[in-house]
Amino acid sequence: MDLRQMEVVVAVAEEGGFTAAARRLNVVQSSVSGTVRALERELGAALFERTTHRVALTAAGEAFVPVARATLRSAESARSAVDAVRGQLRGRITVGTMQGVWADLHLALAALRAEHPGVTVRLRQAAVADIRQALREGTVDLAVVALDRQQQRGLTTRLLSREDMVLVAAPGRLPAGPVSPEEVAGLPLVDFTPGWAIRYAVDRAFRAAGVERETTFEVNDIVAASELVRNDLGVCVMPRSIADRFPDLARHPFDRHAPTWRVMVVRPPGEAPPAVAALLRHLV
């Protein structure tokens, strides 16, 4: 058994199939299939259940993949430690993010690239719940996301920014000035899907205000939300920094119980690998 075999199995598990894993690894599918079959023969157990429509881990695969991930991380840390002694930082890190926080991340990535061109960064954009799970599983090394206090448990966090959210509406739909949670609940609402950090924050704020609301449109894309608002089909609550990207839309602060948007850098506990530590230094 070698590291390459582990890398292939982990890729198949994470990508959900042999074809997608081959694309990720830049090899032909037959190479991926052959590597997995050879390892399964060596282990004496099938790691994947293969059907016409899907590939799923067997019980043996479920046991193997977390250990393989940990082994690959240890090997990468060993390489990075040697590179650091030689003054050359290399390796690959996976950074989780979500829509709306790119402005907090791109400058740090640019600085990391200039300082350490040998470090490869893989960006993974997903809902905050999926990123949190990926951090715990070790498939994401670091994330720039918005988490509430409960979601931060078991993770190392550092606050990057904090702001109140605003209501975004088509121009002229509402009088200028603040709005109350009760007023907002009476309007057609464009909400983000459950699992989004914005949705978590808005749900929490309305519960604190004791106000129930109904969703008229549910979307998983900020641009789609802005288009619905622009065409006066509804109003949307979003962080002011995101709302500022749509200057043609009206922004209304809340008079109380404003949802709060806290963006933070998050990673698993323990000492950060050299490449992750290098990126952390640029995240301020």
Side-chain angles (χ1 to χ4, degrees):
M1 186 188 310
D2 58 36
L3 293 176
R4 180 59 176 174
Q5 290 175 313
M6 294 183 184
E7 183 181 22
V8 170
V9 170
V10 169
V12 174
E14 292 179 355
E15 300 295 334
F18 291 85
T19 301
R23 284 197 298 267
R24 168 169 154 181
L25 298 171
N26 294 313
V27 298
V28 296
Q29 181 179 336
S30 59
S31 174
V32 172
S33 300
T35 299
V36 172
R37 283 196 300 270
L39 182 57
E40 288 177 327
R41 285 195 299 270
E42 181 180 343
L43 294 172
L47 299 175
F48 296 98
E49 293 178 354
R50 303 159 174 86
T51 67
T52 305
H53 303 291
R54 61 191 290 269
V55 173
L57 286 168
T58 63
E62 292 281 2
F64 180 86
V65 167
V67 179
R69 283 197 188 110
T71 301
L72 291 169
R73 286 198 301 272
S74 296
E76 187 66 37
S77 295
R79 293 191 196 99
S80 297
V82 173
D83 288 339
V85 170
R86 297 167 59 203
Q88 299 174 343
L89 190 59
R90 299 183 182 275
R92 183 180 68 184
I93 58 176
T94 301
V95 178
T97 186
M98 55 191 191
Q99 289 192 40
V101 300
W102 177 244
D104 297 294
L105 184 57
H106 78 279
L107 293 176
L109 292 176
L112 176 70
R113 181 66 179 169
E115 184 180 19
H116 301 291
V119 175
T120 300
V121 178
R122 182 184 179 201
L123 285 174
R124 177 177 174 183
Q125 182 171 285
V128 67
D130 295 333
I131 292 175
R132 178 175 175 269
Q133 183 62 28
L135 285 163
R136 292 184 178 279
E137 292 175 350
T139 56
V140 165
D141 299 298
L142 174 148
V144 178
V145 289
L147 296 178
D148 63 26
R149 185 169 300 176
Q150 184 175 1
Q151 293 169 326
Q152 297 173 32
R153 292 177 180 171
L155 298 170
T156 299
T157 66
R158 175 160 55 86
L159 185 67
L160 295 177
S161 64
R162 180 191 182 282
E163 61 182 292
D164 286 342
M165 296 191 189
V166 296
L167 182 74
V168 177
R173 181 181 183 105
L174 298 171
V179 293
S180 68
E182 290 81 5
E183 290 177 90
V184 175
L187 298 169
L189 289 177
V190 179
D191 253 334
F192 295 98
T193 53
W196 271 55
I198 295 176
R199 179 68 177 264
Y200 276 127
V202 173
D203 286 347
R204 189 168 58 249
F206 274 76
R207 283 197 302 270
V211 175
E212 294 186 3
R213 73 187 199 283
E214 292 186 6
T215 298
T216 305
F217 295 97
E218 193 172 86
V219 299
N220 64 353
D221 181 79
I222 289 169
V223 174
S226 70
E227 286 299 317
L228 289 169
V229 173
R230 184 172 289 111
N231 287 280
D232 205 18
L233 294 173
V235 299
C236 183
V237 181
M238 60 178 70
R240 181 178 288 277
S241 58
I242 297 177
D244 287 344
R245 302 178 194 179
F246 310 107
D248 59 315
L249 302 178
R251 281 147 287 176
H252 302 269
F254 282 80
D255 61 4
R256 68 186 197 286
H257 292 292
T260 302
W261 180 247
R262 294 182 180 89
V263 175
M264 57 194 67
V265 57
V266 186
R267 64 178 181 85
E271 185 177 355
V276 173
L279 179 56
L280 284 168
R281 287 195 293 271
H282 295 295
L283 280 165
V284 296

